[in-house]
């Protein structure tokens, strides 16, 4: 059972089942650069909102070693939103204000008009990693499942090779399950990590 706030902006209602803090463990299993990466990790993910038409995302992970010693892995920050054309009522780019005032908050009917041919909602997700890699994902949310694929990956010269990724999230039996495939270190797109998380807050 998911308890949803009743005062959510209409734009984030399709993502509302994600809201909260999730914790659990997962496994890494990826082969590239003549090395097999594997191990168990602890994961903490937060999906929150501040009244805007997007969901804030933050995630941290730690490799679990002997005697439960935890080594930090790459952390992430980002924003998740429904894909819709920007209008004069939207602020941006940068700090530019909206050209016209929004006459009324967006409604459920406004959001329903965004449903795609599959019955879901198209998504745009921007994620920045603590190692400097930035990803833009496109995909869809359809009920309690999200499928994403990178549309763009940008990395500084100092970052390790990372070219593409897909992510899948699902709400199953009260848990957040996710899987992340990557193409990195010269390897092709392949399974990289997955986890099962329980709601912590």
């Amino acid at each position: 059972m998911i308890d949803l706030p009743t005062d959510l902006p209409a734009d984030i209602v399709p993502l509302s089942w994600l809201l909260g803090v999730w914790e659990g463990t997962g496994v890494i299993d990826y082969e590239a650069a003549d090395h097999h990466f594997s191990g168990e990790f602890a994961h903490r993910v937060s999906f929150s909102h501040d009244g805007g038409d997007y969901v804030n995302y933050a995630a941290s992970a730690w490799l679990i070693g002997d005697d439960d010693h935890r080594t930090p892995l790459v952390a992430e920050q980002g924003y998740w939103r429904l894909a819709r054309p920007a209008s004069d009522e939207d602020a941006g780019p940068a700090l530019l204000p909206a050209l016209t005032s929004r006459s009324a908050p967006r409604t459920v009917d406004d959001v329903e008009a965004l449903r795609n041919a599959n019955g879901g909602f198209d998504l745009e997700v921007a994620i920045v990693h603590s190692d400097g890699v930035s990803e833009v994902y496109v995909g869809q949310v359809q009920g309690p499942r999200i499928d994403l694929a990178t549309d763009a990956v940008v990395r500084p010269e100092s970052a390790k090779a990372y070219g593409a990724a897909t992510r899948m999230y699902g709400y199953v039996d009260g848990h957040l399950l996710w899987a992340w495939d990557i193409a990195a270190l010269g390897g092709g797109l392949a399974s990289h990590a997955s986890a099962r998380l329980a709601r912590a807050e």
Side-chain angles (χ1 to χ4, degrees):
M1 180 76 173
I2 305 174
D3 291 325
L4 299 177
T6 57
D7 60 346
L8 293 176
D11 289 77
I12 67 171
V13 169
L15 296 168
S16 58
W17 56 272
L18 288 171
L19 294 175
V21 176
W22 303 83
E23 294 181 343
T25 59
V27 292
I28 299 166
D29 187 8
Y30 186 70
E31 193 158 342
D34 298 322
H35 187 83
H36 183 212
F37 300 88
S38 63
E40 184 180 9
F41 66 95
H43 199 45
R44 179 180 173 90
V45 177
S46 170
F47 292 95
S48 63
H49 79 97
D50 54 17
D53 56 2
Y54 53 85
V55 171
N56 301 300
Y57 166 79
S60 297
W62 300 265
L63 191 65
I64 301 172
D66 296 335
D67 300 323
D68 203 34
H69 175 75
R70 296 185 176 201
T71 303
L73 298 169
V74 172
E76 300 177 319
Q77 297 278 341
Y79 299 95
W80 298 45
R81 67 187 195 113
L82 297 188
R84 63 173 176 81
S87 73
D88 288 347
E89 296 178 340
D90 294 302
L95 298 180
L96 299 179
L99 294 174
T100 61
S101 297
R102 187 171 290 173
S103 56
R106 288 172 53 75
T107 67
V108 172
D109 289 337
D110 294 329
V111 173
E112 280 297 315
L114 299 175
R115 278 197 188 270
N116 60 31
N118 299 321
F121 296 92
D122 294 332
L123 291 180
E124 298 170 344
V125 175
I127 297 176
V128 178
H129 303 213
S130 57
D131 62 359
V133 170
S134 296
E135 300 170 291
V136 175
Y137 286 91
V138 294
Q140 76 167 351
V141 54
Q142 191 170 22
R145 180 183 170 121
I146 293 170
D147 292 282
L148 301 170
T150 48
D151 185 50
V153 175
V154 178
R155 63 183 178 87
E157 187 177 351
S158 60
K160 295 178 180 179
Y162 181 86
T166 62
R167 300 188 190 209
M168 186 279 296
Y169 296 80
Y171 184 76
V172 180
D173 295 331
H175 288 80
L176 179 64
L177 277 59
W178 66 259
W180 185 4
D181 295 358
I182 62 171
L185 306 178
L189 188 65
S191 177
H192 149 250
S194 60
R196 181 181 181 94
L197 310 178
R199 194 181 297 275
E201 296 175 23

